[in-house]
Amino acid sequence: MTRSKSPRKHSASSRRPNAMAVLIAAAAVGVLYVNFDPPSAGAGGSARPPAAPVAPPPPLATSGEAGESGSTISLAELQNARVVYGRPALLLQLLLLEKGIEKLGKISSYTATLYKQERVDHVLGEGQTVDMKIRHEPFSVYMKWLTGDAGRELLYVEGQNEGDMIVHAGGWKARLVPALNLDPHGSLAMRESRYPVTMAGLLAAARKMTEYRRSELREERLPVRCEMHFAQKFEDRACYCFVVESLDSKNLEIFRKTIVHIDEELCLPVCIRNFAWPIGEEDAGLQGGPLDEATMVEFYTYTNIGLDRRLADADFERTNTEYRFRR
């Protein structure tokens, strides 16, 4: 059985969300583009695992407060805001990410230091710090571990080596064990990682977030709560901090909560923390910080971002004399 709809009513209801989106977008663009300067050479930071980025934000908006799906915000309110809620916050995050993606699209390669800590097979692993080189065309990744299995190296170039990545162990094992060719999606390659190397880097992270935001913004009533905090810091870089919490506790496939810091100048996600839904009686009664600590599944940071580094072909060749890949 199908429901009949009045064409006139359908047309009117379609115009209202569109008009609201245009109003928010106009205000957002006015604020964002006035404050954006061209990117500098890079983002500061150290190779050490970073400290906790910011103190816990204030409580999220509840039903009836700012953050309802029909809320709007004026340009003056945006300019004076310290926290923005709901649909305007989601839209502002989307605009920032799209601008960051545009910036990355204008450069061929970059370098960064990645810190990652992931929960794989329900076990939260130790944090790892990795120096990275990324090239967009053909997509290429070089990694060198600074902690954990220090000295480990990984090389992947799209369309080469029959689609495999090349990995050698760190430390004394590098002298005894030759480099291995591994399927990026195979069980051995994914033993310590939630994502394959084909999804490495800032561009993939930003694109994935834009997919989530676009999907959420298409809903008439938002499936998430969202806060945007201004004047935040990460590794001495000025950032916007976004806190997004899902309202659908039945869908365990989506993150319960995401906290992301987007660099004001670079418009890129430099710190990302994702949290799962509580599983089991031990986590069920937890709230706030203890719940986040027990359910964190992903923690990524990017520091030492060098957008001015034009990398050479040799940076992604196994024969590079600075690398220790053994044939």
Side-chain angles (χ1 to χ4, degrees), residues 271-288:
C271 179
I272 306 163
R273 287 183 289 170
N274 290 318
F275 305 88
W277 296 94
I279 300 177
E281 297 181 359
E282 292 183 3
D283 298 338
L286 299 176
Q287 299 291 330

Side-chain angles (χ1 to χ4, degrees), residues 24 36 38 61 68 73 109 119 132 140 148 175 178 190 201 216 257 274 287-288 294:
I24 298 173
F36 288 155
E68 293 297 320
I73 188 167
S109 53
R119 190 178 298 273
M132 301 179 65
S140 310
R175 297 191 297 270
M190 298 294 294
E216 292 155 0
K257 180 178 179 180
N274 290 318
Q287 299 291 330

Side-chain angles (χ1 to χ4, degrees), residues 279-320:
I279 300 177
E281 297 181 359
E282 292 183 3
D283 298 338
L286 299 176
Q287 299 291 330
L291 177 60
D292 288 348
E293 183 178 350
T295 60
M296 188 181 76
V297 291
E298 300 174 357
F299 181 14
Y300 307 107
T301 73
Y302 293 88
T303 56
N304 303 317
I305 302 171
L307 300 185
D308 60 341
R309 292 288 307 276
R310 186 174 179 83
L311 299 172
D313 289 343
D315 288 294
F316 303 99
E317 292 177 353
R318 179 175 185 160
T319 55
N320 189 320

Side-chain angles (χ1 to χ4, degrees), residues 57-279:
L60 294 172
T62 57
S63 178
E65 297 180 304
E68 293 297 320
S69 62
S71 63
T72 61
I73 188 167
S74 69
L75 177 60
E77 288 173 321
L78 266 177
Q79 289 173 323
N80 297 319
R82 278 290 170 257
V83 184
V84 174
Y85 299 93
R87 194 174 295 270
L90 283 177
L91 180 57
L92 283 164
Q93 184 183 137
L94 177 60
L95 291 170
L96 281 165
L97 292 170
E98 288 179 338
K99 188 165 182 66
I101 290 171
E102 179 185 359
K103 289 182 178 184
L104 276 182
K106 293 178 180 178
I107 64 172
S108 61
S109 53
Y110 65 93
T111 58
T113 299
L114 167 70
Y115 174 78
K116 69 169 188 172
Q117 186 178 21
E118 298 174 315
R119 190 178 298 273
V120 180
D121 292 333
H122 307 293
V123 178
L124 184 64
E126 295 293 329
Q128 302 175 7
T129 305
V130 183
D131 273 345
M132 301 179 65
K133 298 177 183 178
I134 302 283
R135 179 175 62 185
H136 292 141
E137 292 292 340
F139 181 69
S140 310
V141 181
Y142 167 78
M143 295 181 172
K144 183 174 183 178
W145 271 250
L146 305 180
T147 64
D149 187 16
R152 181 196 301 175
E153 291 179 295
L154 180 154
L155 181 63
Y156 172 80
V157 180
E158 187 176 44
Q160 294 185 17
N161 200 38
E162 299 182 346
D164 288 345
M165 62 185 190
I166 309 170
V167 183
H168 79 71
W172 60 268
K173 292 177 289 186
R175 297 191 297 270
L176 301 177
V177 182
L180 301 175
N181 293 333
L182 298 178
D183 176 0
H185 302 273
S187 59
L188 188 57
M190 298 294 294
R191 185 172 57 184
E192 298 179 1
S193 182
R194 290 175 59 85
Y195 303 100
V197 69
T198 54
M199 295 179 62
L202 286 159
L203 191 57
R207 283 174 171 167
K208 190 65 177 177
M209 286 186 194
T210 61
E211 291 178 12
Y212 285 126
R213 300 296 86 87
R214 289 192 186 109
S215 175
E216 292 155 0
L217 286 165
R218 282 194 291 266
E219 299 292 332
E220 182 176 352
R221 185 170 181 84
L222 292 182
V224 296
R225 290 195 202 79
C226 183
E227 295 179 350
M228 176 184 184
H229 295 257
F230 291 76
Q232 298 295 309
K233 289 280 189 179
F234 171 69
E235 293 283 298
D236 295 325
R237 297 281 299 183
C239 292
Y240 305 104
C241 178
F242 292 86
V243 182
V244 181
E245 284 197 302
S246 174
L247 299 176
D248 185 4
S249 60
K250 296 180 180 179
N251 187 353
L252 299 182
E253 298 300 317
I254 61 176
F255 295 123
R256 173 183 61 86
K257 180 178 179 180
T258 294
I259 302 176
V260 57
H261 287 68
I262 297 180
D263 188 285
E264 284 190 18
E265 185 179 11
L266 304 178
C267 304
L268 295 171
V270 292
C271 179
I272 306 163
R273 287 183 289 170
N274 290 318
F275 305 88
W277 296 94
I279 300 177

